[in-house]
Amino acid sequence: MANKITGVNGPITGWLDGHTYLIGLMAYPIRHSMSPTMHNNAFAKLGLNYTYLCFEIGNDKLKGAVDAIRTLDMRGSNVSMPNKKEVIQYLDKLSPASEMCDAVNTIVNDHGVLTGYTTDGIGFVQSLKDEGIDIKGKVMTLTGAGGAATPIAVQSALDGAKEIRIFNIKDDKWAQAEKNVKTIQEKTDCQVSLTELTDQEAFKQSIAESDIYCDATSVGMKPLEDKTLVSDPSWFHEDMVVFDTVYAPRTTKLMKVAQKAGVKHVFDGIGMMIDQGAASFKLWTGKDMPTDYIREIIF
Ligand code: NAD
């Protein structure tokens, strides 16, 4: 079934012609992604002759797909699961944050030289900045050590967070949590610790002493949408930030608990998602994504 194209009233000129820069998104599965809608609308709004397309690429086809970035002289690509770590071996350079996270979500092609970046952490820090909150000097309790939590911890430490207290369950992400602590200790001045989430007293006390509580676990999104790692509003204090990286549902159970506690700054993951896209957009085009417009028309 053909989708209806809206907003086009005549021949398109200066866009999708012989000069168009191509940006990809290489992941599997990926057809559900909002990134093409976000980037293509931003290109159109700014009149930039770029286009952004999804490619269903798993680890097996990744080398060929990365070679194609050079061969086709694409401007770059986003990379998502299962390729975020695997792709590193095919790139020429890594940003400092990417190296610390051992993961890439953005590739930039400068005349055949491919550099890997990770923009999720930049998105997190920027989305706080958008709300007038600077990560610098802050104490943060962070649950999670996976694909979202790792860049959040690394970028927050790089941008001057005073202390990050990581809590995680002892699952397959525990080794990554230990690695995150070691890397942050070695490369930044941020104090960092790791505690098992089963130590609920330590978790409660840590939140009470924090400026920010960020949940970057899968709890709160499907199929765990009726769950939260903090269910007692008295654990929070009004002046803190409670940040849930989940963006569907828009109001998670955790956010409801924080709202009940009267927390002034309660955020979902939409701002982070738009701002990580904006950081990639800037790397490819040199321009600022019109994020207010994107939020208004898409989210
Ligand atoms: P992941 O699988 O890499 O990591 C999941 C994390 O959740 C791990 O630390 C794991 O230990 C923890 N976890 C899983 N089940 C748990 C449970 N029952 N109790 C406690 N901890 C548990 O996943 P990810 O890619 O890091 O995604 C994590 C969350 O971040 C998801 O909710 C996702 O929607 C969100 N996310 C948001 C953005 C954004 O831009 N806003 C970007 C990426 C991911």
Side-chain angles (χ1 to χ4, degrees):
M1 192 183 76
N3 286 324
K4 195 174 168 212
I5 300 173
T6 56
V8 177
N9 300 314
I12 303 169
T13 55
W15 188 46
L16 296 181
D17 59 12
H19 301 280
T20 305
Y21 292 103
L22 175 59
I23 310 284
L25 167 54
M26 298 171 176
Y28 189 91
I30 201 56
R31 296 285 178 218
H32 60 282
S33 173
M34 286 303 290
S35 291
T37 309
M38 176 165 72
H39 285 288
N40 287 322
N41 275 282
F43 295 146
K45 178 73 175 169
L46 297 188
L48 298 174
N49 199 354
Y50 284 74
T51 194
Y52 184 109
L53 297 178
C54 273
F55 299 102
E56 283 192 320
I57 301 288
N59 287 171
D60 54 333
K61 294 187 194 161
L62 187 58
K63 183 180 183 311
V66 176
D67 282 346
I69 296 176
R70 294 189 184 89
T71 309
L72 302 177
D73 199 20
M74 292 168 64
R75 178 64 183 127
S77 186
N78 272 142
V79 177
S80 194
M81 294 312 286
N83 301 324
K84 283 185 167 186
K85 284 187 192 292
E86 198 75 16
V87 75
I88 289 174
Q89 62 189 307
Y90 306 125
L91 304 179
D92 302 304
K93 294 195 284 182
L94 289 183
S95 72
S98 239
E99 207 164 303
M100 286 172 72
C101 294
D102 196 26
V104 161
N105 80 335
T106 302
I107 301 170
V108 178
N109 178 13
D110 290 308
H111 310 290
V113 178
L114 302 188
T115 306
Y117 297 84
T118 176
T119 62
D120 288 318
I122 298 173
F124 171 74
V125 171
Q126 182 61 44
S127 69
L128 285 176
K129 214 173 267 176
D130 294 344
E131 302 290 343
I133 297 150
D134 191 345
I135 193 72
K136 203 167 181 199
K138 298 290 189 298
V139 176
M140 174 163 71
T141 296
L142 173 68
T143 38
T150 296
I152 286 173
V154 163
Q155 195 66 45
S156 298
L158 285 172
D159 288 350
K162 184 178 165 200
E163 189 178 347
I164 301 172
R165 303 169 179 189
I166 300 168
F167 288 77
N168 211 79
I169 53 173
K170 270 218 166 155
D171 63 353
D172 59 336
K173 294 292 186 302
W174 185 260
Q176 182 67 46
E178 290 180 318
K179 190 163 178 274
N180 293 347
V181 169
K182 191 164 174 280
T183 311
I184 289 169
Q185 275 169 345
E186 280 170 9
K187 306 254 171 161
T188 76
D189 295 329
C190 180
Q191 288 178 54
V192 59
S193 61
L194 172 62
T195 309
E196 234 188 292
L197 197 54
T198 45
D199 189 344
Q200 288 284 293
E201 262 316 304
F203 184 39
K204 179 182 172 183
Q205 191 182 337
S206 179
I207 290 174
E209 293 167 359
S210 291
D211 302 299
I212 300 169
Y213 169 56
C214 174
D215 184 344
T217 70
S218 332
V219 177
M221 74 172 212
K222 270 189 178 168
L224 303 173
E225 71 268 32
D226 59 340
K227 300 265 184 294
T228 169
L229 296 177
V230 182
S231 47
D232 182 346
S234 75
W235 284 30
F236 294 130
H237 54 92
E238 280 181 21
D239 293 327
M240 70 186 302
V241 172
V242 174
F243 194 114
D244 199 334
T245 56
V246 173
Y247 45 81
R250 284 301 294 272
T251 308
T252 61
K253 195 144 185 231
L254 170 70
M255 292 168 67
K256 285 180 190 158
V257 173
Q259 282 160 352
K260 202 169 169 195
V263 174
K264 288 186 194 122
H265 306 288
V266 182
F267 305 126
D268 63 23
I270 290 284
M272 172 178 161
M273 206 229 295
I274 296 174
D275 284 335
Q276 63 78 29
S280 302
F281 188 91
K282 181 117 190 183
L283 287 166
W284 296 316
T285 68
K287 309 275 186 210
D288 290 324
M289 180 186 269
T291 48
D292 289 345
Y293 168 74
I294 292 299
R295 184 184 274 271
E296 184 190 319
I297 63 163
I298 303 177
F299 297 104

